[in-house]
C-alpha cells in the first residue's frame, strides 16, 4: 500500500483528492458524507454576500452517446447566509479534524471586509482559505471573480488583503480566461499566496436548441455565457498547471483542477506538478462514491511502479514540457508511421485522413487489406495513428535523422555562421 | 489421480474471452448506476458498476479485487452463473438496449487474476478468534472458508475427493468451465490460509468429533448421486449416472463410459443438457433428451436449451422410460407417453402414463439425469431436524437444530435453484454468523 497522504502548503490530508468548491460542498451534510466515503478534503462552496441564483443553471456537452463530457454552469457563489456556512464549517472541522477543510471566499475589494471575513473563517478551525478569483459569470459582472483574476494588479492586491489578515494558508484559485496564466499566477505569489489552484471554469456557450432556438441552458428563453468544466477541459488545465509549475517565479505548491474523473487523470495532474487534486464535475455526475476507484486506482498504480508515496509523483513529468523552440526539428528527429499489416482490419481511415488531411503518403495496395506508408514522404504528424481504431496497429517509429538541433540552436548556428 | 488441465479441443471452453477492445466497449456501455439493480440481483452482491468502472480505467487488478471481495468464486461465476436470471436480467439497459455482458466482463477481470496474480483482498474487521471445520470443499465450503479466513479464523476443510471445488471441479462440463478455473479458486482459498484435508470422507461420528476440536462445524456436502429410475434393466451395462459420466470427462478419463452411436438422456434439466452435449462430444451421432413433461415445464435455463439445440441434441417431450432392454448392454428403451393432471408449466403436477402408448427406441447408452439424491441419512444421524426432505436451518445464521453445526449450499436442497453463486452466499452468511457467535464468546 502506497502512502497517499499529503502535506500541501502545510495543510495535511489523508489523500490528495479534494472536492472542488461548488454544488458538492454546499452543506455540512454533503461534506461529511463525502469524508465518510473517503475524500481527503473539501473546498467549501464559495462564501460571500449571499446571492440569488437563476434556473436552469447547467448544460451538458454529450459526445458519442456518453453524457457530460463537458459541463457548463451559470450558478453563482453560495446563496446561504454567511453565518450558516461558517457554523456548518465549524461543525465539520470539529467532527473531522484530520480532513482538509478549505473555505472558498469572494468579497468586494475592501481590506476591512477581508480582514473581518478572514478572521471569522479562521475562527471556524478551517485549514485554509481559497480565494475565488475565477468565476467567469455573474460575479464578474459585479467586479468579483474572474475580473479580479484577469487583472494581475487586482489579483495581487486582494491576495494581499487576505494574506495579511490570515494565519492559515491562503490558496488563490485562478481563472483560465486569460491569455497567459503565468501573469495572474505571479501576481498572486507576489501578493503572498501560499499556494495556487487552477483551473476554474472556462467561458462558454453550450449550444442552441434547434427546435426552439433557445440557448442551453435556458432561463425562460434567454441564456448567458457560463463556466465550462468536466473531462473536456483537462488538456487546458494541464497546460496551465505545467506552465506555472515550470515558471521559476511561481514558487508555491499547485492544486490541480479541471476534468479529473479517473485515477489516470489524477496521475497525469500529479506528474505535471499538482500537489493536490480537486474534483467537481465527475463527482456531480456519479456521486461521492467515485473516490473508491480514484484512491484504489492511484494506489495500484503507485504499487505497480514501486513508488512509496504519492508525493514522489508530483512534477516528475513537468520538466519535459517547455518551449516549442527547444524541440528537435524534423531534420534532426522525426517519427514515421508504420502500419502493422497483420493487425489491420481494412477500414482505410488512415488512408483518407492522410490523403485529405495530411501529406498524401499512405497508399492503398490492390488486393491487400492494409494500406502502405511511403515512409520517405511521411512527416510523422501522428494523424493516421490517431484515427486508427486498432490500438497498436499503426506504430510511430522514432528515427534519428541528424545531429540534435532545435530552433533555438539553429538560430544560434545561423547567426554565428561565417 | 491428478486431473489433467489440458482438454481435447472439443472439450475446450466454448465462450471465448472478450478481446481488450470488446471489453472496453462493453464496459463503457455500463451506466454506472447508483444502488444498481444488478448488484441486488447478485446473491453475493458484487459491486458490479464498480468492477466495470475499474475495467474502463484500465485497473484490472482493482476490478478483480472488487469481485473477489464479494465472491471468492468470481471466476466460476463469470462463466456459469445464470446471468439472465440474475445480474444481466436486471441491468437497466434491458430497457433501452441489451443488457451489459456482466458475466463476460467479470471473466476479463478474473482471467487477469488467474494469469497476473491474485490481488490482496481488503482485510475484514477482526472481532473474535477460533477454529472452524468445514466439511465439503465445494462452492459453499469455499465461500465460508474465505470469509472466515479473512476475518482471522483458523479454518480446516475436509473433502472426500482428491481435489477441492466440488461440482465446479467434477460436475460442470469443461467446455463451460475448465477444471483449471476451479482448481485456481481452491488454491486461492488455500493461499488465504485454509488447511485442506483432501481424500477424507467425514461421517456423522466424525462430525461429532470435529465439534469437540473446533468452535463450529460447517457442513457443505452438497447432494448425492442421480437417483435410480426404478425400472427393469437399470443395471445393464451402458446405463450411466450423468454425474459419473460428466466427471469422467473432467478428470480426463474419456474412455470410461463408452457411448456408441445413439444416446438417450433421461430428464430435461441443466444436467441433462450437460450430459447430452458431452455424449455428442464423445462421438455419439444421435443424442435425444427424453422428458416426462412438456417443454413448458423444463427446468433447464433458456441458454442451456439453446446450447443443446445448437449441438444437434433432439428433444422428446411427454416420454417416460418404463423399461431398459438388452442382454448384457442396453440396446433399447421402452417409453410410455405421459400426460399431467394440472397445468403443463407445473413441475409438480402428477404425471400419468397413457395406456397402450408404449414404444421402443433402440439406443446404445442411457444416461440418467433426473436430479440428485438428498443426504438425509447424515442429518438424521447427527440428530438435526429435517422437514420436507431437507435439513432445517435458521434462515439468518444457517445453524441447524444442533448447536454449533451449520449447513450451507446444495445440501439445503432447495429444488431447482441450486447455483454456485447461492452456495457461496450461503457460505458467507454462515461464516458471518459464526464470526458474530465467536466474537461474543471472545468478548465474554
Ligand atoms: C451437471 C451440473 C451442472 C450445473 N451447472 C450449473 C451452472 O451452470 N450454474 C450454476 O450456478 N450451478 C450449476 N450447478 C449447480 C452447482 O454446481 C451447485 O449448486 C454447487 O456446486 C453447490 O455447491 P456445494 O458446495 O453446496 O456442493 P458441491 O459442489 O456438491 O460440493 C460438495 C462437496 O462436499 C464433498 N463431500 C460430500 N460428502 C462428503 C463427506 N461425507 N465427507 C467429505 N466431503 C464430502 C464433495 O466431495 C464435494 O466436494 C450444476 C450442477 C450440476 C450437477
Ligand atoms: C455548478 C458549478 C458550480 C461551481 N461553483 C464554484 C464556486 O462557487 N466557486 C469556485 O471556486 N468554483 C466553482 N466551480 C468550479 C469548480 O470548482 C471547478 O474549478 C471546475 O468545475 C473544474 O473542475 P471539474 O472539471 O472537475 O468540474 C463550480 C463548478 C460547477 C460545475
Ligand atoms: S438535480 Fe434535478 S431534482 Fe435535483 S435540484 Fe437539480 S433539477 Fe432539481
Amino acid at each position: 500500500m502506497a502512502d497517499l497522504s499529503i502535506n500541501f502548503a502545510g495543510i495535511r490530508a489523508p489523500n490528495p483528492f479534494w472536492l472542488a468548491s461548488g454544488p458538492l460542498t454546499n452543506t455540512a451534510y454533503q461534506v461529511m458524507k463525502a469524508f465518510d466515503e473517503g475524500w481527503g478534503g473539501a473546498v467549501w462552496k464559495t462564501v460571500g454576500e449571499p446571492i440569488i441564483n437563476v434556473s436552469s443553471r447547467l448544460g451538458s456537452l454529450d459526445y458519442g452517446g456518453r453524457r457530460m463530457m463537458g459541463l457548463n454552469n451559470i450558478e453563482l457563489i453560495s446563496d446561504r447566509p454567511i453565518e450558516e456556512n461558517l457554523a456548518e464549517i465549524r461543525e465539520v472541522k470539529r467532527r473531522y479534524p484530520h480532513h482538509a477543510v478549505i473555505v472558498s471566499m469572494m468579497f468586494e475589494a475592501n481590506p476591512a471586509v477581508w480582514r473581518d471575513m478572514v478572521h471569522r473563517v479562521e475562527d471556524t478551525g478551517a485549514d485554509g482559505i481559497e480565494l475565488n478569483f475565477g468565476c467567469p459569470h455573474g460575479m464578474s459582472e459585479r467586479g468579483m471573480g474572474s475580473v479580479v483574476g484577469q487583472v494581475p494588479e487586482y489579483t495581487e492586491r486582494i491576495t494581499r488583503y487576505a494574506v495579511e489578515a490570515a494565519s492559515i494558508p491562503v490558496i488563490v484559485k485562478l481563472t483560465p480566461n486569460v491569455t497567459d496564466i503565468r501573469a495572474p499566477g505571479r501576481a498572486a505569489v507576489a501578493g503572498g499566496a501560499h499556494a495556487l489552484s487552477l483551473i476554474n471554469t472556462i467561458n462558454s456557450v453550450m449550444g442552441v436548441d434547434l427546435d426552439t432556438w433557445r440557448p442551453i441552458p435556458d432561463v425562460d428563453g434567454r441564456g448567458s455565457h457560463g463556466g465550462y468544466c468536466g473531462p473536456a477541459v483537462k488538456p487546458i488545465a494541464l497546460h496551465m498547471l505545467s506552465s506555472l509549475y515550470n515558471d521559476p517565479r511561481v514558487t508555491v505548491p499547485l492544486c490541480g483542477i479541471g476534468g479529473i474523473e479517473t485515477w489516470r487523470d489524477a496521475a497525469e495532474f500529479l506528474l505535471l506538478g499538482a500537489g493536490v487534486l480537486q474534483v467537481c464535475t465527475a463527482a456531480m455526475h456519479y456521486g461521492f462514491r467515485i473516490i473508491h476507484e480514484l484512491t484504489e486506482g492511484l494506489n495500484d498504480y503507485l504499487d505497480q511502479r514501486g513508488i512509496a508515496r504519492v508525493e514522489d509523483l508530483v512534477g516528475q513529468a513537468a520538466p519535459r514540457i517547455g518551449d516549442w523552440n527547444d524541440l528537435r526539428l524534423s531534420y534532426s528527429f522525426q517519427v514515421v508511421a508504420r502500419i502493422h499489416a497483420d493487425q489491420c482490419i481494412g477500414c482505410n481511415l488512415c488512408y483518407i485522413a492522410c490523403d485529405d488531411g495530411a501529406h498524401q503518403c499512405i497508399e492503398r495496395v490492390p488486393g491487400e487489406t492494409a494500406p502502405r506508408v511511403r515512409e520517405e514522404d511521411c512527416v510523422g504528424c501522428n494523424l493516421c495513428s490517431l484515427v486508427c481504431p486498432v490500438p497498436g496497429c499503426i506504430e510511430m517509429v522514432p528515427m534519428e535523422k541528424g545531429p540534435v538541433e532545435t530552433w533555438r540552436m539553429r538560430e544560434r548556428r545561423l547567426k554565428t555562421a561565417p | 489421480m491428478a486431473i489433467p488441465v489440458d482438454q481435447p479441443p472439443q472439450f475446450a471452453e466454448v465462450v471465448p474471452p472478450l478481446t481488450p477492445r470488446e471489453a472496453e466497449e462493453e464496459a463503457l456501455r455500463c451506466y454506472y448506476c447508483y444502488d444498481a439493480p444488478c448488484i441486488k440481483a447478485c446473491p453475493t452482491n458484487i459491486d458490479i458498476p464498480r468492477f466495470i468502472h475499474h475495467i474502463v480505467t484500465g485497473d484490472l487488478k482493482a476490478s478483480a479485487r472488487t469481485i473477489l471481495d464479494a465472491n471468492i468464486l468470481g471466476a466460476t461465476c463469470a462463466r456459469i452463473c445464470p446471468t439472465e436470471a440474475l445480474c444481466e436480467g436486471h441491468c437497466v439497459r434491458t430497457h433501452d438496449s441489451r443488457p451489459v455482458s456482466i458475466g463476460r466482463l467479470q471473466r476479463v477481470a478474473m482471467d487477469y487474476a488467474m494469469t497476473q496474480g491474485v490481488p490482496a483482498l481488503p482485510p475484514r474487521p477482526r472481532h473474535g478468534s477460533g477454529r472452524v471445520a468445514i466439511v465439503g470443499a465445494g462452492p459453499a465450503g469455499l465461500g465460508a472458508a474465505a470469509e472466515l479466513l479473512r476475518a482471522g479464523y483458523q479454518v480446516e476443510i475436509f473433502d472426500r475427493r482428491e481435489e477441492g471445488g466440488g461440482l465446479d471441479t467434477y460436475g460442470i462440463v469443461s467446455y463451460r468451465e475448465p477444471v483449471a478455473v476451479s482448481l485456481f479458486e481452491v488454491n486461492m482459498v488455500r493461499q488465504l490460509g485454509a488447511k485442506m484435508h483432501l481424500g477424507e470422507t467425514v461421517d456423522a461420528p466424525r462430525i461429532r468429533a470435529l465439534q469437540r476440536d473446533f468452535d463450529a462445524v460447517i457442513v457443505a456436502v452438497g447432494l448425492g448421486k442421480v437417483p435410480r429410475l426404478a425400472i427393469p434393466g437399470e443395471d445393464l451395462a451402458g446405463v450411466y449416472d450423468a454425474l459419473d459420466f460428466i466427471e469422467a470427462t473432467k478428470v480426463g478419463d474419456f474412455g470410461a463410459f463408452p457411448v456408441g452411436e445413439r444416446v438417450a438422456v433421461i430428464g430435461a434439466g441443466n444436467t441433462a443438457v450437460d450430459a447430452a452435449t458431452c455424449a455428442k462430444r464423445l462421438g455419439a451421432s444421435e443424442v435425444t433428451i427424453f422428458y416426462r413433461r412438456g417443454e413448458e415445464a423444463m427446468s433447464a435455463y433458456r441458454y442451456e436449451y439453446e446450447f443443446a439445440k445448437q449441438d444437434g441434441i433432439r428433444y422428446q417431450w411427454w416420454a417416460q422410460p418404463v423399461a431398459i432392454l438388452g442382454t448384457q448392454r442396453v440396446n433399447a428403451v421402452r417409453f410410455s407417453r405421459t400426460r399431467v393432471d394440472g397445468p403443463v408449466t407445473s413441475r409438480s403436477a402428477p404425471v400419468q402414463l397413457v395406456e397402450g402408448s408404449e414404444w421402443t427406441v433402440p439406443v446404445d447408452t442411457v444416461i440418467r439425469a433426473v436430479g440428485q439424491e438428498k443426504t438425509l441419512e447424515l442429518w438424521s444421524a447427527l440428530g438435526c431436524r429435517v422437514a420436507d426432505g431437507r435439513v432445517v436451518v435458521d434462515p439468518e445464521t444457517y445453524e441447524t437444530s444442533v448447536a454449533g453445526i451449520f449447513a450451507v449450499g446444495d445440501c439445503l436442497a432447495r429444488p431447482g435453484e441450486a447455483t454456485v453463486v447461492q452456495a457461496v452466499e450461503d457460505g458467507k452468511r454462515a461464516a458471518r454468523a459464526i464470526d458474530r457467535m465467536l466474537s461474543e464468546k471472545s468478548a465474554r
Side-chain angles (χ1 to χ4, degrees), chain A residues 138-289:
Chain A
M139 304 312 291
S140 51
E141 286 133 8
R142 301 171 203 181
M144 288 180 268
S146 64
V147 293
V148 177
Q150 283 164 338
V151 182
E153 302 86 83
Y154 296 172
T155 300
E156 181 176 341
R157 184 173 345 131
I158 299 183
T159 302
R160 187 163 292 120
Y161 295 160
V163 169
E164 278 172 357
S167 60
I168 52 177
V170 174
I171 305 167
V172 173
K173 183 169 180 181
L174 301 178
T175 174
N177 298 304
V178 294
T179 7
D180 184 348
I181 194 70
R182 287 174 299 186
R186 290 167 183 167
V189 174
H194 303 102
L196 305 178
S197 58
L198 75 166
I199 58 175
N200 209 313
T201 52
I202 304 171
N203 260 327
S204 60
V205 167
M206 282 315 268
V208 178
D209 183 305
L210 290 185
D211 294 324
T212 61
W213 297 2
R214 287 163 166 242
I216 302 169
D218 171 355
V219 182
D220 193 29
R222 289 190 62 81
S224 180
H225 63 97
Y228 192 47
C229 51
V233 310
K234 183 179 96 172
I236 297 163
L238 289 179
H239 156 60
M240 296 189 165
L241 171 71
S242 57
S243 62
L244 286 177
Y245 188 82
N246 287 334
D247 182 356
R249 288 164 65 188
V250 174
T251 47
V252 297
L254 305 174
C255 176
I257 319 170
I260 299 174
E261 181 168 293
T262 70
W263 65 268
R264 289 180 169 275
D265 305 323
E268 289 176 89
F269 273 83
L270 290 161
L271 285 166
L272 289 182
V276 157
L277 311 160
Q278 293 184 26
V279 177
C280 185
T281 304
M284 286 175 71
H285 194 162
Y286 299 113
F288 298 138
R289 62 197 165 124

Side-chain angles (χ1 to χ4, degrees), chain B residues 31 37 80 129 133 161 175 190 247 254 277 296 311 372 394 428:
Chain B
Y31 284 157
I80 67 159
S129 62
R161 311 300 307 250
Y175 37 94
R190 204 178 266 129
E247 178 180 329
F254 296 100
T277 50
E296 303 81 357
D311 252 26
Q372 279 181 271
D394 180 298
K428 280 168 62 183

Side-chain angles (χ1 to χ4, degrees), chain B residues 385-399:
Chain B
R385 205 156 78 75
V386 175
D388 289 336
R390 43 181 131 168
V391 60
V392 178
V393 292
D394 180 298
E396 297 261 308
T397 65
Y398 290 75
E399 193 166 18

Side-chain angles (χ1 to χ4, degrees), chain B residues 46-55 63 67 102 105-106:
Chain B
I46 295 175
D47 192 335
I48 293 161
R50 182 182 297 178
F51 97 68
I52 293 178
H53 198 71
H54 278 308
I55 294 178
S63 185
I67 296 162
I102 298 168
L105 285 171
Q106 181 165 321

